[in-house]
Amino acid sequence: MQRQPRAGARAAIVLAVIGLAAAGCGGDDAPKADGQESSRPPSSTTTSPSKSTTRAAEGKQVRNGEVTKVDKMDGVQLKSPQDGKLRNFGIDAAVLEFGTADAVESGSSSSTRYVPEPGGSLLAFKIKARKAGKDDISGKVTASVAVDGIQRSLPGFDSALSSYTSTDSATLSYIVGVPQDRRSVELELKYVGLAQKFDLLEGVRKGDQPTVLYRSESGPTIKVESLTPSQVTVAPNSKMSAGPGALVFGEPSAELSYFAPTTGNVPADKEKAWLVLRFKPAEGAYWAKSCVVPPSAFSATDETGAQYPAHVSYSKAERYSEHVIVFEVPATVKKPVVSAAPRTVGCSYYSGNEEQWAVTGPPARIEVPLPER
């Protein structure tokens, strides 16, 4: 006959079984009652956003393609291009620095933080620009940045230049929102059909680069002042008491430019340039200032002996005003000589009517030594 355990022994066995069951239910994988939370600490493999990741998402967002003018660019790794010059009609500019960043701190009195769209970045650059001459370029030369071909103008660029003279310059800083997969980001100065471009990803100028625009270190136009005057001899008609007199081409100056005066038209190709001679018909006699020397009487000869006639449609010759005579020449010309051999000049006398007076003697000659770099 089998013996049964004593009552005390049975109680001990029951308590042991209950203890084992309780231990199994209290593990990490134990099911929880509805609404009950686990009190175990987070696993060491669980990650939370770092301070830098959270910070990068904070700030004023610059959308892809958007261009923003800023006061400073803290947080940007800037580098200088080897040649940042960028020129166009009446403007001399240069990219000083460029670079990219995940965020940009800006502002003078109060700091503003700029961030890109998610997945994008910010491209920053600093440009120095000035007016290169007396021409009014307001609304003529446009400045923009193109991200993958979509252009946005540079805010404040035109107004900054309009407040400066030709001897002063403005330094401006910009940031651009660019997508992760951008293919091109280009800074562009454009006038009519001439666009001068600078690759802001590679830091190089690209596209057509007319020779004369980048021939000089000082700007897009080469200027020569205080040239030696020349003259022709004029024989007034028999009604005048005065005999033949010298018609002096006074205060001559010259410039070599890619843009024709007044119109801004460009030459036939990028290896050409406009040679512009300016002078005032003058002499001690009062009648000299009323004389007009026809542009068709002028020609320019370069150091090789090649001759270039005056471009009559771009030239200007009027009584009592400065003469502007224009020639299309090679952009590499160094020492051209301008000659004038008119058969007659139109001068006005007492009546104010223009009369043709004969020119005698040799042609006028004005040497134009153009400086090199």
Side-chain angles (χ1 to χ4, degrees):
M1 180 170 155
Q2 188 176 3
R3 298 178 60 184
Q4 298 293 327
R6 296 192 304 271
R10 289 197 302 271
I13 292 172
V14 172
L15 289 174
V17 173
I18 293 172
L20 289 172
C25 293
D28 288 345
D29 298 327
K32 307 294 186 298
D34 292 343
Q36 184 178 356
E37 296 183 358
S38 172
S39 60
R40 70 183 177 90
S43 169
S44 60
T45 59
T46 303
T47 59
S48 59
S50 65
K51 182 177 180 181
S52 59
T53 305
T54 303
R55 179 68 170 155
E58 297 175 353
K60 185 175 181 180
Q61 191 176 91
V62 181
R63 296 188 176 277
N64 289 338
E66 183 181 353
V67 183
T68 301
K69 181 176 176 290
V70 295
D71 295 322
K72 59 181 181 178
M73 297 185 294
D74 291 345
V76 185
Q77 294 183 347
L78 293 168
K79 53 185 177 180
S80 301
Q82 185 173 357
D83 181 2
K85 291 191 291 290
L86 200 63
R87 293 167 172 171
N88 211 306
F89 175 58
I91 187 170
D92 179 24
V95 177
L96 302 179
E97 296 176 304
F98 69 104
T100 58
D102 293 327
V104 175
E105 299 283 352
S106 179
S108 51
S109 57
S110 60
S111 180
T112 302
R113 193 168 195 271
Y114 293 94
V115 297
E117 282 191 20
S121 63
L122 297 178
L123 189 150
F125 65 95
K126 185 181 295 184
I127 182 172
K128 184 177 182 180
R130 69 179 182 89
K131 290 174 61 178
K134 300 178 181 179
D135 293 305
D136 180 14
I137 62 174
S138 300
K140 295 180 181 179
V141 179
T142 59
S144 63
V145 170
V147 179
D148 292 336
I150 300 177
Q151 289 186 324
R152 302 285 178 85
S153 62
L154 298 187
F157 187 87
D158 189 64
S159 59
L161 285 186
S162 64
S163 62
Y164 288 88
T165 66
S166 59
T167 58
D168 296 323
S169 60
T171 301
L172 306 168
S173 300
Y174 294 95
I175 54 175
V176 187
V178 294
Q180 185 94 25
D181 58 350
R182 75 269 187 175
R183 297 180 300 277
S184 66
V185 183
E186 296 175 340
L187 170 64
E188 180 182 276
L189 295 182
K190 186 176 182 180
Y191 174 72
V192 191
L194 179 68
Q196 292 296 276
K197 298 180 180 181
F198 188 88
D199 189 328
L200 288 168
L201 296 178
E202 301 296 330
V204 295
R205 194 169 55 246
K206 61 187 300 186
D208 287 340
Q209 300 171 40
T211 300
V212 70
L213 277 185
Y214 299 98
R215 175 174 162 175
S216 170
E217 289 290 343
S218 58
T221 300
I222 300 174
K223 297 183 179 181
V224 185
E225 305 286 346
S226 303
L227 297 174
T228 303
S230 188
Q231 65 184 41
V232 293
T233 302
V234 177
N237 63 26
S238 59
K239 296 180 181 179
M240 290 189 63
S241 58
L247 175 58
V248 178
F249 296 179
E251 303 176 36
S253 64
E255 56 201 52
L256 192 69
S257 173
Y258 195 65
F259 304 96
T262 308
T263 65
N265 287 17
V266 300
D269 65 65
K270 60 186 178 63
E271 300 303 324
K272 298 284 188 177
W274 300 114
L275 175 65
V276 182
L277 176 72
R278 302 175 185 270
F279 69 89
K280 297 178 180 179
E283 208 268 337
Y286 64 91
W287 54 262
K289 295 182 180 179
S290 72
C291 295
V292 174
V293 185
S296 58
F298 288 83
S299 64
T301 305
D302 66 15
E303 56 274 12
T304 69
Q307 282 194 330
Y308 308 92
H311 204 299
V312 176
S313 60
Y314 293 154
S315 301
K316 183 185 73 170
E318 299 176 354
R319 288 186 293 171
Y320 305 108
S321 67
E322 180 183 63
H323 280 42
V324 180
I325 313 298
V326 182
F327 311 88
E328 188 177 24
V329 298
T332 54
V333 66
K334 297 178 180 179
K335 297 180 180 179
V337 176
V338 175
S339 299
R343 298 179 63 183
T344 62
V345 294
C347 302
S348 62
Y349 193 40
Y350 289 120
S351 65
N353 296 324
E354 185 174 285
E355 299 176 352
Q356 295 298 316
W357 295 350
V359 174
T360 61
R365 292 180 77 259
I366 297 178
E367 297 183 357
V368 185
L370 297 168
E372 294 296 305
R373 282 177 177 261

